[in-house]
Amino acid sequence: LVAGLTLANIVGATVFADITLSSAEDNHEVYIIKRGKIPVSMTMVPVANETTLTLEAGDQLKIKSSTANSIDVVLTYMSLDP
């Protein structure tokens, strides 16, 4: 369970971020955010507070920036054991 996700722009220009989720079950990839704009010295918080993201074993959360080495990512998760 992803409880928090923050992307921070660490360069001197606006960047755009894609966040995708790939399902291990059917190898299907969907966009959570497509070309999300992150201005200079700002952050994007797509998962926080009452918004969560549930991942199954083997699922992949991918984050890609329009500019190499331009964002820092902080992810907070909780493991839910049966």
Side-chain angles (χ1 to χ4, degrees), residues 34-57:
K34 184 173 176 107
R35 288 197 49 84
K37 183 178 181 179
I38 311 174
V40 176
S41 300
M42 298 298 288
T43 60
M44 173 190 293
V45 185
V47 180
N49 298 326
E50 297 184 19
T51 305
T52 60
L53 185 60
T54 302
L55 303 177
E56 299 293 332

Side-chain angles (χ1 to χ4, degrees), residues 11-61:
V11 295
T14 296
V15 296
F16 297 87
D18 293 337
I19 303 173
T20 58
L21 175 61
S22 296
S23 170
E25 184 175 312
D26 60 9
N27 202 27
H28 185 73
E29 184 172 87
V30 296
Y31 280 94
I32 296 170
I33 301 283
K34 184 173 176 107
R35 288 197 49 84
K37 183 178 181 179
I38 311 174
V40 176
S41 300
M42 298 298 288
T43 60
M44 173 190 293
V45 185
V47 180
N49 298 326
E50 297 184 19
T51 305
T52 60
L53 185 60
T54 302
L55 303 177
E56 299 293 332
D59 288 353
Q60 294 182 359
L61 186 65

